[in-house]
Coordinates of all heavy atoms in Angstrom, one line a residue:
M605 N 6.9 1.9 3.0 CA 5.7 2.4 3.6 C 5.9 2.6 5.1 O 6.5 1.8 5.7 CB 4.6 1.4 3.3 CG 3.2 1.9 3.7 SD 1.9 0.8 3.3 CE 2.0 0.7 1.6
Y606 N 5.3 3.7 5.6 CA 5.3 4.0 7.0 C 3.9 3.7 7.6 O 2.9 4.0 7.0 CB 5.6 5.5 7.2 CG 7.0 5.8 6.9 CD1 7.4 6.3 5.7 CD2 8.0 5.7 7.9 CE1 8.7 6.7 5.4 CE2 9.3 6.1 7.6 CZ 9.7 6.6 6.4 OH 11.0 6.9 6.1
K607 N 4.0 3.0 8.8 CA 2.7 2.8 9.5 C 3.0 3.4 10.9 O 3.7 2.8 11.7 CB 2.4 1.3 9.6 CG 1.1 1.0 10.2 CD 0.8 -0.5 10.1 CE -0.6 -0.8 10.6 NZ -0.9 -2.2 10.5
F608 N 2.4 4.6 11.1 CA 2.5 5.2 12.4 C 1.5 4.6 13.4 O 0.3 4.5 13.0 CB 2.3 6.7 12.3 CG 3.4 7.4 11.5 CD1 3.1 7.6 10.1 CD2 4.6 7.8 12.0 CE1 4.1 8.2 9.3 CE2 5.5 8.4 11.2 CZ 5.3 8.6 9.9
R609 N 1.9 4.2 14.6 CA 1.1 3.5 15.5 C 1.2 4.1 16.9 O 2.2 4.6 17.3 CB 1.5 2.0 15.6 CG 1.5 1.3 14.3 CD 1.9 0.0 14.4 NE 0.8 -0.7 15.1 CZ 0.7 -2.0 15.1 NH1 1.6 -2.8 14.6 NH2 -0.4 -2.6 15.7
S610 N 0.1 4.0 17.6 CA 0.0 4.5 19.0 C -1.1 3.8 19.7 O -2.1 3.4 19.1 CB -0.2 6.0 19.1 OG -0.3 6.4 20.4
Q611 N -1.0 3.7 21.0 CA -2.1 3.1 21.8 C -3.3 4.1 21.9 O -4.4 3.7 22.2 CB -1.6 2.9 23.3 CG -0.5 1.8 23.4 CD -1.1 0.4 23.1 OE1 -2.2 0.1 23.4 NE2 -0.2 -0.4 22.5
A612 N -3.1 5.4 21.6 CA -4.1 6.4 21.7 C -4.9 6.7 20.5 O -5.8 7.5 20.5 CB -3.5 7.7 22.3
A613 N -4.4 6.2 19.3 CA -5.0 6.6 18.0 C -5.0 5.5 17.1 O -4.2 4.5 17.2 CB -4.3 7.8 17.5
A614 N -5.8 5.6 16.0 CA -5.8 4.6 15.0 C -4.5 4.7 14.2 O -3.8 5.7 14.2 CB -7.0 4.8 14.0
D615 N -4.1 3.6 13.6 CA -2.9 3.5 12.8 C -3.0 4.5 11.6 O -4.1 4.7 11.1 CB -2.6 2.1 12.2 CG -2.3 1.1 13.3 OD1 -2.1 1.5 14.5 OD2 -2.2 -0.1 13.0
L616 N -1.8 5.1 11.2 CA -1.8 6.0 10.1 C -0.7 5.5 9.1 O 0.4 5.3 9.5 CB -1.4 7.4 10.6 CG -1.2 8.5 9.5 CD1 -2.5 8.7 8.7 CD2 -0.7 9.7 10.1
I617 N -1.1 5.3 7.9 CA -0.2 4.7 6.9 C 0.1 5.8 5.8 O -0.8 6.5 5.4 CB -0.9 3.5 6.2 CG1 -1.1 2.4 7.2 CG2 0.0 3.0 5.0 CD1 -1.9 1.2 6.7
M618 N 1.4 5.9 5.5 CA 1.9 6.9 4.5 C 2.8 6.1 3.6 O 3.6 5.3 4.0 CB 2.7 8.0 5.1 CG 1.9 9.0 5.8 SD 2.9 10.4 6.3 CE 1.8 11.3 7.3
L619 N 2.7 6.4 2.3 CA 3.7 5.9 1.3 C 5.1 6.4 1.6 O 5.2 7.5 2.2 CB 3.2 6.2 -0.1 CG 1.9 5.6 -0.5 CD1 1.5 6.0 -1.9 CD2 2.0 4.0 -0.4
T620 N 6.1 5.7 1.2 CA 7.5 6.1 1.6 C 7.8 7.5 1.2 O 8.4 8.2 2.0 CB 8.4 5.0 1.0 OG1 8.1 3.7 1.5 CG2 9.9 5.3 1.3
P621 N 7.6 8.0 0.0 CA 8.0 9.4 -0.3 C 7.4 10.4 0.6 O 8.0 11.3 1.0 CB 7.5 9.5 -1.8 CG 7.4 8.2 -2.4 CD 7.0 7.3 -1.2
T622 N 6.1 10.2 0.9 CA 5.4 11.2 1.8 C 5.9 11.0 3.2 O 6.2 12.0 3.9 CB 3.9 10.9 1.8 OG1 3.4 11.1 0.4 CG2 3.2 11.9 2.7
G623 N 6.1 9.8 3.7 CA 6.7 9.6 5.0 C 8.1 10.2 5.1 O 8.4 10.8 6.2
D624 N 8.9 10.0 4.1 CA 10.2 10.5 4.2 C 10.2 12.1 4.2 O 10.9 12.7 5.0 CB 11.0 10.1 2.9 CG 11.4 8.7 2.9 OD1 11.3 8.0 3.9 OD2 11.9 8.2 1.8
R625 N 9.3 12.7 3.5 CA 9.2 14.1 3.5 C 8.7 14.6 4.8 O 9.2 15.6 5.4 CB 8.2 14.6 2.4 CG 8.1 16.1 2.3 CD 7.2 16.5 1.1 NE 7.1 17.9 1.1 CZ 6.1 18.6 0.4 NH1 5.2 17.9 -0.3 NH2 6.1 19.9 0.4
V626 N 7.7 14.0 5.4 CA 7.2 14.4 6.7 C 8.3 14.2 7.8 O 8.5 15.1 8.6 CB 5.9 13.5 7.1 CG1 5.6 13.7 8.5 CG2 4.8 13.9 6.2
L627 N 9.0 13.2 7.8 CA 10.1 13.0 8.8 C 11.2 14.1 8.6 O 11.7 14.6 9.6 CB 10.7 11.6 8.6 CG 9.9 10.5 9.1 CD1 10.6 9.1 8.9 CD2 9.5 10.6 10.6
A628 N 11.5 14.4 7.3 CA 12.4 15.5 7.1 C 11.9 16.8 7.6 O 12.6 17.6 8.2 CB 12.7 15.7 5.6
L629 N 10.6 17.1 7.5 CA 10.0 18.3 8.0 C 10.1 18.3 9.6 O 10.2 19.4 10.2 CB 8.5 18.4 7.6 CG 8.3 18.7 6.1 CD1 6.8 18.6 5.8 CD2 8.8 20.1 5.7
L630 N 10.1 17.1 10.2 CA 10.2 17.0 11.6 C 11.7 17.1 12.1 O 11.9 17.0 13.3 CB 9.6 15.7 12.1 CG 8.1 15.6 11.9 CD1 7.6 14.3 12.3 CD2 7.3 16.7 12.7
G631 N 12.6 17.2 11.1 CA 14.0 17.3 11.5 C 14.6 16.0 11.7 O 15.6 15.8 12.4
R632 N 14.0 14.9 11.2 CA 14.5 13.5 11.4 C 15.0 12.9 10.1 O 14.4 13.3 9.0 CB 13.4 12.7 12.0 CG 13.0 13.1 13.3 CD 11.7 12.3 13.7 NE 11.3 12.6 15.1 CZ 11.6 11.8 16.1 NH1 12.1 10.7 15.9 NH2 11.2 12.2 17.3
E633 N 15.9 12.0 10.1 CA 16.3 11.3 9.0 C 15.3 10.2 8.7 O 14.7 9.6 9.6 CB 17.7 10.6 9.2 CG 18.8 11.6 9.3 CD 19.1 12.2 8.0 OE1 19.0 11.6 6.9 OE2 19.4 13.4 8.0
P634 N 14.9 10.0 7.4 CA 14.0 8.9 7.1 C 14.6 7.6 7.7 O 15.8 7.3 7.5 CB 13.9 8.9 5.6 CG 14.3 10.3 5.2 CD 15.3 10.7 6.2
A635 N 13.8 6.8 8.4 CA 14.3 5.6 9.0 C 13.1 4.5 9.0 O 11.9 4.9 9.1 CB 14.7 5.8 10.4
S636 N 13.5 3.3 8.9 CA 12.5 2.2 8.9 C 11.8 2.1 10.3 O 10.7 1.5 10.4 CB 13.1 0.9 8.4 OG 14.1 0.5 9.3
K637 N 12.5 2.5 11.3 CA 11.9 2.4 12.7 C 12.1 3.8 13.4 O 13.2 4.4 13.2 CB 12.6 1.3 13.5 CG 12.4 0.0 13.0 CD 13.1 -1.0 13.9 CE 12.9 -2.4 13.4 NZ 13.5 -3.4 14.2
G638 N 11.2 4.1 14.3 CA 11.4 5.4 15.0 C 10.3 5.6 16.0 O 9.3 4.8 16.1
I639 N 10.4 6.7 16.8 CA 9.5 7.0 17.8 C 9.4 8.5 17.9 O 10.4 9.2 17.7 CB 9.8 6.4 19.1 CG1 8.8 6.7 20.2 CG2 11.2 6.9 19.6 CD1 8.9 5.8 21.5
I640 N 8.2 9.0 18.2 CA 8.0 10.4 18.5 C 7.5 10.4 19.9 O 6.4 10.0 20.2 CB 7.0 11.1 17.6 CG1 7.4 11.1 16.1 CG2 6.8 12.6 18.0 CD1 6.4 11.6 15.1
E641 N 8.4 10.9 20.8 CA 8.1 10.9 22.2 C 7.0 12.1 22.5 O 7.0 13.1 21.8 CB 9.3 11.2 23.1 CG 10.4 10.1 22.9 CD 10.0 8.9 23.7 OE1 9.1 8.9 24.5 OE2 10.8 7.9 23.5
V642 N 6.3 11.9 23.6 CA 5.3 12.9 23.9 C 5.9 14.3 24.1 O 5.3 15.3 23.7 CB 4.5 12.4 25.2 CG1 3.5 13.5 25.7 CG2 3.8 11.1 25.0
A643 N 7.1 14.3 24.7 CA 7.8 15.6 25.0 C 8.1 16.3 23.7 O 8.3 17.5 23.7 CB 9.0 15.3 25.8
D644 N 8.2 15.6 22.6 CA 8.6 16.2 21.3 C 7.4 16.5 20.4 O 7.5 17.1 19.3 CB 9.5 15.2 20.5 CG 10.8 14.9 21.2 OD1 11.2 15.8 22.0 OD2 11.3 13.8 21.1
M645 N 6.2 16.2 20.9 CA 5.0 16.4 20.0 C 4.6 17.8 19.8 O 4.2 18.2 18.7 CB 3.8 15.6 20.6 CG 4.0 14.1 20.4 SD 2.6 13.1 21.0 CE 3.3 11.5 20.7
A646 N 4.7 18.7 20.8 CA 4.4 20.1 20.6 C 5.3 20.7 19.5 O 4.8 21.4 18.6 CB 4.5 20.8 21.9
Q647 N 6.5 20.4 19.5 CA 7.5 20.9 18.5 C 7.2 20.3 17.1 O 7.2 21.0 16.1 CB 8.9 20.6 18.9 CG 9.9 21.2 17.9 CD 11.3 20.8 18.3 OE1 11.6 19.9 19.0 NE2 12.3 21.6 17.7
A648 N 6.8 19.0 17.1 CA 6.4 18.4 15.8 C 5.2 19.0 15.2 O 5.2 19.3 14.0 CB 6.2 16.9 16.1
I649 N 4.2 19.3 16.0 CA 3.0 20.0 15.5 C 3.4 21.4 15.0 O 2.9 21.8 13.9 CB 1.9 20.1 16.6 CG1 1.4 18.7 17.0 CG2 0.8 21.0 16.2 CD1 0.6 18.6 18.3
E650 N 4.2 22.1 15.7 CA 4.6 23.4 15.3 C 5.4 23.4 14.0 O 5.1 24.2 13.1 CB 5.5 24.1 16.4 CG 5.9 25.5 16.1 CD 6.7 26.1 17.2 OE1 6.5 25.7 18.4 OE2 7.5 27.0 16.9
R651 N 6.3 22.4 13.9 CA 7.1 22.3 12.6 C 6.2 22.0 11.4 O 6.4 22.6 10.4 CB 8.2 21.2 12.8 CG 9.3 21.7 13.6 CD 10.3 20.5 13.7 NE 11.6 21.1 14.1 CZ 12.8 20.8 13.5 NH1 12.8 19.8 12.6 NH2 13.9 21.3 13.9
L652 N 5.3 21.1 11.6 CA 4.4 20.7 10.5 C 3.5 21.9 10.1 O 3.3 22.2 9.0 CB 3.6 19.5 10.9 CG 4.4 18.2 11.0 CD1 3.5 17.0 11.5 CD2 5.0 17.8 9.7
S653 N 3.0 22.6 11.1 CA 2.1 23.7 10.9 C 2.9 24.8 10.1 O 2.4 25.5 9.2 CB 1.5 24.3 12.2 OG 0.7 23.3 12.8
E654 N 4.1 25.1 10.5 CA 5.0 26.1 9.8 C 5.2 25.6 8.4 O 5.2 26.5 7.5 CB 6.3 26.3 10.6 CG 6.1 27.0 11.9 CD 7.4 27.1 12.7 OE1 8.4 26.5 12.3 OE2 7.3 27.7 13.8
A655 N 5.5 24.4 8.2 CA 5.7 23.9 6.8 C 4.5 24.0 5.9 O 4.6 24.4 4.8 CB 6.2 22.4 6.9
V656 N 3.3 23.8 6.5 CA 2.1 24.0 5.8 C 1.9 25.4 5.4 O 1.6 25.7 4.2 CB 0.9 23.4 6.6 CG1 -0.4 23.9 6.0 CG2 0.9 21.9 6.6
A657 N 2.1 26.3 6.3 CA 2.0 27.8 6.1 C 3.0 28.2 5.0 O 2.6 29.0 4.1 CB 2.2 28.6 7.3
A658 N 4.2 27.7 5.0 CA 5.2 28.1 4.0 C 4.8 27.5 2.7 O 5.0 28.2 1.6 CB 6.6 27.6 4.4
D659 N 4.3 26.3 2.6 CA 3.9 25.7 1.4 C 2.7 26.4 0.8 O 2.7 26.7 -0.4 CB 3.5 24.2 1.6 CG 3.0 23.5 0.4 OD1 3.9 23.3 -0.5 OD2 1.8 23.2 0.3
E660 N 1.8 26.8 1.6 CA 0.6 27.6 1.1 C 1.1 29.0 0.6 O 0.5 29.5 -0.4 CB -0.5 27.7 2.1 CG -1.1 26.3 2.3 CD -2.2 26.3 3.4 OE1 -2.3 27.3 4.1 OE2 -2.9 25.3 3.4
A661 N 2.0 29.6 1.2 CA 2.5 30.9 0.8 C 3.2 30.7 -0.6 O 3.0 31.6 -1.5 CB 3.4 31.5 1.8
A662 N 4.0 29.7 -0.7 CA 4.7 29.4 -1.9 C 3.7 29.2 -3.1 O 3.9 29.6 -4.2 CB 5.7 28.3 -1.8
R663 N 2.7 28.4 -2.8 CA 1.7 28.1 -3.8 C 1.0 29.4 -4.3 O 0.6 29.5 -5.4 CB 0.7 27.1 -3.3 CG 1.3 25.7 -3.1 CD 0.4 24.7 -2.5 NE -0.5 24.4 -3.6 CZ -1.7 23.8 -3.5 NH1 -2.1 23.5 -2.3 NH2 -2.4 23.4 -4.5
Q664 N 0.8 30.4 -3.3 CA 0.2 31.6 -3.7 C 1.1 32.4 -4.6 O 0.6 33.3 -5.4 CB -0.2 32.5 -2.5 CG -1.3 31.9 -1.7 CD -2.6 31.8 -2.4 OE1 -3.0 32.7 -3.2 NE2 -3.3 30.7 -2.3
Q665 N 2.4 32.2 -4.5 CA 3.3 32.9 -5.4 C 3.5 32.3 -6.7 O 4.2 32.8 -7.6 CB 4.7 33.0 -4.7 CG 4.7 33.7 -3.4 CD 4.2 35.2 -3.5 OE1 4.6 35.8 -4.5 NE2 3.4 35.7 -2.6
T666 N 2.9 31.1 -7.0 CA 3.0 30.4 -8.2 C 2.4 31.3 -9.3 O 1.3 31.9 -9.1 CB 2.2 29.1 -8.2 OG1 2.8 28.3 -7.1 CG2 2.3 28.3 -9.5
P667 N 3.1 31.4 -10.4 CA 2.6 32.3 -11.5 C 1.2 31.9 -11.9 O 0.9 30.7 -12.0 CB 3.6 32.1 -12.6 CG 4.8 31.5 -12.0 CD 4.3 30.8 -10.8
V668 N 0.3 32.8 -12.2 CA -1.0 32.6 -12.7 C -1.0 32.3 -14.2 O -0.4 33.0 -14.9 CB -1.9 33.8 -12.4 CG1 -3.3 33.6 -13.0 CG2 -2.0 34.1 -10.9
E669 N -1.6 31.2 -14.6 CA -1.7 30.8 -16.0 C -3.1 31.3 -16.5 O -4.1 31.3 -15.8 CB -1.6 29.3 -16.1 CG -0.3 28.8 -15.7 CD -0.3 27.2 -15.9 OE1 -1.2 26.7 -16.4 OE2 0.7 26.7 -15.4
E670 N -3.0 31.8 -17.7 CA -4.3 32.2 -18.3 C -4.7 31.2 -19.4 O -3.9 30.7 -20.2 CB -4.1 33.6 -19.0 CG -4.0 34.7 -18.0 CD -4.1 36.0 -18.6 OE1 -4.8 36.2 -19.6 OE2 -3.6 37.0 -18.0
E671 N -5.9 30.8 -19.3 CA -6.5 29.7 -20.2 C -7.8 30.2 -20.6 O -8.7 30.4 -19.8 CB -6.5 28.4 -19.4 CG -6.8 27.2 -20.4 CD -6.7 25.9 -19.6 OE1 -5.7 25.6 -19.1 OE2 -7.7 25.2 -19.6
G672 N -8.0 30.4 -21.9 CA -9.3 30.8 -22.4 C -9.7 32.2 -21.8 O -10.9 32.5 -21.6
G673 N -8.7 33.1 -21.5 CA -9.0 34.4 -21.0 C -9.2 34.4 -19.5 O -9.5 35.5 -19.0
E674 N -9.2 33.3 -18.8 CA -9.4 33.2 -17.4 C -8.1 32.9 -16.7 O -7.4 32.0 -17.1 CB -10.4 32.2 -17.0 CG -11.8 32.6 -17.5 CD -12.9 31.6 -17.0 OE1 -12.6 31.0 -15.9 OE2 -13.9 31.4 -17.6
A675 N -7.8 33.6 -15.6 CA -6.6 33.3 -14.8 C -6.9 32.3 -13.8 O -7.9 32.3 -13.1 CB -6.1 34.6 -14.2
H676 N -5.9 31.4 -13.6 CA -6.1 30.4 -12.6 C -4.7 29.9 -12.2 O -3.7 30.0 -12.9 CB -7.0 29.2 -13.0 CG -6.3 28.3 -14.0 ND1 -6.2 28.6 -15.3 CD2 -5.7 27.1 -13.9 CE1 -5.6 27.7 -16.0 NE2 -5.3 26.7 -15.1
R677 N -4.6 29.3 -11.0 CA -3.3 28.8 -10.5 C -3.4 27.2 -10.7 O -4.4 26.6 -10.4 CB -3.1 29.0 -9.0 CG -2.9 30.5 -8.7 CD -2.6 30.7 -7.2 NE -2.7 32.1 -6.8 CZ -1.8 33.0 -7.2 NH1 -0.8 32.7 -7.8 NH2 -2.0 34.2 -6.8
P678 N -2.3 26.6 -11.2 CA -2.3 25.2 -11.3 C -2.5 24.5 -10.0 O -1.9 25.0 -9.0 CB -1.0 24.9 -12.0 CG -0.2 26.1 -11.9 CD -1.1 27.2 -11.6
A679 N -3.3 23.5 -9.9 CA -3.6 22.9 -8.6 C -2.7 21.7 -8.5 O -2.6 20.9 -9.4 CB -5.1 22.5 -8.5
E680 N -2.1 21.5 -7.3 CA -1.4 20.3 -6.9 C -2.4 19.2 -6.6 O -3.5 19.6 -6.0 CB -0.5 20.6 -5.7 CG 0.4 19.4 -5.3 CD 1.2 19.7 -4.1 OE1 1.6 20.9 -3.9 OE2 1.5 18.8 -3.4
A681 N -2.2 18.0 -6.9 CA -3.1 17.0 -6.7 C -3.5 16.9 -5.2 O -4.7 16.9 -4.9 CB -2.6 15.6 -7.2
V682 N -2.5 16.8 -4.3 CA -2.8 16.8 -2.9 C -1.8 17.7 -2.2 O -0.6 17.6 -2.4 CB -2.5 15.3 -2.4 CG1 -2.8 15.3 -0.9 CG2 -3.4 14.3 -3.1
S683 N -2.3 18.7 -1.5 CA -1.5 19.7 -0.8 C -0.8 19.1 0.4 O -1.2 18.1 0.9 CB -2.3 20.9 -0.4 OG -3.2 20.5 0.7
L684 N 0.2 19.8 0.8 CA 1.0 19.4 2.0 C 0.0 19.4 3.2 O 0.1 18.5 4.1 CB 2.2 20.3 2.3 CG 3.0 20.0 3.5 CD1 3.6 18.6 3.4 CD2 4.1 21.0 3.7
R685 N -0.9 20.4 3.3 CA -1.9 20.4 4.4 C -2.7 19.1 4.4 O -2.9 18.6 5.5 CB -2.8 21.6 4.2 CG -3.9 21.7 5.3 CD -4.9 22.8 5.0 NE -4.2 24.1 5.2 CZ -4.0 24.7 6.4 NH1 -4.4 24.1 7.5 NH2 -3.5 25.9 6.5
Q686 N -3.1 18.7 3.3 CA -3.9 17.4 3.3 C -3.1 16.2 3.6 O -3.6 15.3 4.3 CB -4.5 17.2 1.9 CG -5.5 18.3 1.5 CD -5.9 18.2 0.0 OE1 -5.0 18.2 -0.8 NE2 -7.2 18.3 -0.2
R687 N -1.8 16.2 3.3 CA -0.9 15.1 3.6 C -0.6 15.0 5.1 O -0.5 13.9 5.6 CB 0.3 15.1 2.8 CG 0.1 14.9 1.3 CD 1.4 14.7 0.5 NE 1.1 14.7 -0.9 CZ 0.8 13.6 -1.6 NH1 0.5 12.5 -0.9 NH2 0.6 13.7 -2.9
V688 N -0.4 16.1 5.7 CA 0.1 16.1 7.1 C -1.1 16.2 8.1 O -0.9 16.0 9.3 CB 1.2 17.1 7.4 CG1 2.4 16.9 6.6 CG2 0.6 18.6 7.3
W689 N -2.3 16.6 7.7 CA -3.4 16.8 8.6 C -3.6 15.6 9.5 O -3.8 15.7 10.7 CB -4.6 17.3 7.9 CG -5.8 17.5 8.8 CD1 -6.9 16.7 9.0 CD2 -5.9 18.6 9.7 NE1 -7.7 17.3 10.0 CE2 -7.1 18.4 10.4 CE3 -5.1 19.7 10.0 CZ2 -7.5 19.3 11.4 CZ3 -5.5 20.6 11.0 CH2 -6.7 20.4 11.6
P690 N -3.7 14.4 8.9 CA -3.9 13.2 9.8 C -2.9 13.0 10.8 O -3.2 12.6 12.0 CB -4.0 12.0 8.8 CG -4.3 12.6 7.5 CD -3.7 14.0 7.5
L691 N -1.6 13.3 10.5 CA -0.5 13.1 11.5 C -0.6 14.2 12.5 O -0.4 13.9 13.7 CB 0.8 13.1 10.8 CG 2.0 12.9 11.7 CD1 1.9 11.6 12.4 CD2 3.3 13.0 10.9
I692 N -1.0 15.4 12.2 CA -1.1 16.5 13.2 C -2.2 16.1 14.2 O -2.1 16.2 15.4 CB -1.4 17.8 12.5 CG1 -0.2 18.3 11.8 CG2 -1.9 18.8 13.6 CD1 -0.4 19.6 11.0
Q693 N -3.3 15.5 13.6 CA -4.4 15.1 14.5 C -4.0 14.0 15.4 O -4.3 13.9 16.6 CB -5.6 14.7 13.7 CG -6.3 15.8 13.0 CD -6.7 16.9 13.9 OE1 -7.4 16.7 14.9 NE2 -6.3 18.2 13.6
M694 N -3.2 13.0 14.9 CA -2.7 11.9 15.7 C -1.7 12.4 16.7 O -1.8 12.0 17.9 CB -1.9 10.9 14.7 CG -1.4 9.7 15.4 SD -0.6 8.6 14.3 CE -0.7 7.1 15.1
L695 N -0.9 13.4 16.4 CA 0.0 14.0 17.4 C -0.7 14.6 18.5 O -0.4 14.4 19.7 CB 1.0 15.0 16.7 CG 2.1 14.4 15.9 CD1 2.6 15.5 14.9 CD2 3.2 13.9 16.7
R696 N -1.8 15.4 18.2 CA -2.6 16.0 19.2 C -3.3 15.0 20.1 O -3.3 15.2 21.4 CB -3.6 17.0 18.6 CG -3.0 18.2 18.0 CD -4.0 19.1 17.3 NE -3.4 20.3 16.8 CZ -3.8 21.0 15.8 NH1 -4.9 20.7 15.2 NH2 -3.1 22.1 15.4
T697 N -3.8 14.0 19.5 CA -4.5 13.0 20.3 C -3.5 12.2 21.2 O -3.8 12.0 22.4 CB -5.2 11.9 19.4 OG1 -6.2 12.6 18.6 CG2 -5.9 10.8 20.1
C698 N -2.4 11.9 20.7 CA -1.4 11.1 21.5 C -0.8 12.0 22.6 O -0.5 11.5 23.7 CB -0.3 10.6 20.6 SG -1.0 9.3 19.5
Q699 N -0.6 13.3 22.3 CA -0.1 14.2 23.3 C -1.0 14.3 24.4 O -0.6 14.3 25.6 CB 0.2 15.6 22.6 CG 0.8 16.6 23.5 CD 1.0 17.9 22.8 OE1 0.2 18.3 22.0 NE2 2.1 18.6 23.2
A700 N -2.3 14.4 24.1 CA -3.3 14.5 25.2 C -3.4 13.3 26.0 O -3.7 13.3 27.2 CB -4.7 14.9 24.6
A701 N -3.2 12.1 25.4 CA -3.3 10.8 26.1 C -1.9 10.4 26.7 O -1.8 9.3 27.3 CB -3.8 9.8 25.1
D702 N -0.9 11.2 26.4 CA 0.5 10.9 27.0 C 1.0 9.6 26.4 O 1.5 8.8 27.2 CB 0.5 10.9 28.5 CG 1.9 11.2 29.1 OD1 2.7 11.9 28.4 OD2 2.1 10.6 30.1
E703 N 0.8 9.4 25.1 CA 1.2 8.1 24.5 C 2.2 8.5 23.3 O 1.9 9.4 22.5 CB 0.1 7.3 23.9 CG -0.8 6.7 25.0 CD -0.1 5.5 25.7 OE1 0.8 4.9 25.1 OE2 -0.6 5.2 26.8
P704 N 3.3 7.8 23.1 CA 4.2 8.0 22.0 C 3.6 7.5 20.7 O 2.7 6.7 20.7 CB 5.5 7.3 22.4 CG 5.0 6.2 23.3 CD 3.8 6.7 24.0
I705 N 4.2 7.9 19.6 CA 3.9 7.4 18.3 C 5.2 6.6 17.8 O 6.3 7.1 17.9 CB 3.6 8.5 17.3 CG1 2.3 9.2 17.7 CG2 3.4 7.9 15.9 CD1 2.0 10.5 16.9
V706 N 5.0 5.4 17.3 CA 6.1 4.6 16.8 C 5.8 4.2 15.4 O 4.6 4.2 14.9 CB 6.4 3.4 17.7 CG1 6.8 3.8 19.1 CG2 5.1 2.5 17.7
W707 N 6.8 3.8 14.6 CA 6.7 3.2 13.3 C 7.8 2.2 13.1 O 8.8 2.2 13.7 CB 6.7 4.2 12.2 CG 7.9 5.0 12.0 CD1 9.0 4.7 11.2 CD2 8.3 6.2 12.7 NE1 10.0 5.6 11.3 CE2 9.6 6.6 12.2 CE3 7.8 7.0 13.7 CZ2 10.3 7.7 12.7 CZ3 8.4 8.1 14.1 CH2 9.7 8.4 13.6
G708 N 7.4 1.2 12.3 CA 8.4 0.1 12.0 C 8.7 -0.9 13.1 O 9.6 -1.6 13.0
V709 N 7.9 -0.9 14.1 CA 8.1 -1.9 15.2 C 6.9 -2.8 15.4 O 5.9 -2.6 14.9 CB 8.3 -1.2 16.6 CG1 9.7 -0.4 16.6 CG2 7.2 -0.3 16.9

């Protein structure tokens, strides 16, 4: 489990699979301890936003299933946008307050 912490924002908890995926999207290896420096936050926000856009585009390309004569796309339980939104907000808050984000310490 990941617990992202900062002096500028409330703690954010992610289960390990989600945390590992988010760190990979940020170009980092999953690790039990780490830090996101203020200088890296703009790039982190950009990477997460790009990943969300790519995920949503891929979901739009998902084949449409017909059920009872009606077409619909299968829904994922929780989208990438929903999973990373709290971290993006935390990054923005911490960037404005000039405070790093740490986990595992």
Side-chain angles (χ1 to χ4, degrees):
M605 186 177 299
Y606 288 92
K607 186 174 187 179
F608 296 96
R609 305 177 72 164
S610 176
Q611 296 289 329
D615 293 352
L616 174 63
I617 297 173
M618 286 187 186
L619 297 177
T620 302
T622 302
D624 288 348
R625 183 176 180 198
V626 167
L627 289 177
L629 291 172
L630 294 175
R632 297 170 174 256
E633 291 292 322
S636 60
K637 294 181 182 181
I639 185 168
I640 302 173
E641 298 285 350
V642 175
D644 299 329
M645 290 183 182
Q647 182 182 21
I649 293 167
E650 184 178 332
R651 282 178 161 227
L652 291 175
S653 298
E654 288 172 358
V656 166
D659 180 67
E660 290 178 349
R663 292 179 74 196
Q664 291 298 320
Q665 298 300 321
T666 303
V668 175
E669 295 179 7
E670 290 193 26
E671 190 173 302
E674 292 185 27
H676 71 282
R677 295 186 192 284
E680 182 181 332
V682 179
S683 70
L684 181 61
R685 176 182 293 278
Q686 292 168 314
R687 291 190 188 278
V688 301
W689 182 253
L691 183 57
I692 290 173
Q693 292 304 309
M694 184 180 202
L695 286 162
R696 288 180 177 152
T697 299
C698 293
Q699 184 180 31
D702 202 32
E703 290 288 337
I705 297 172
V706 297
W707 63 93
V709 291

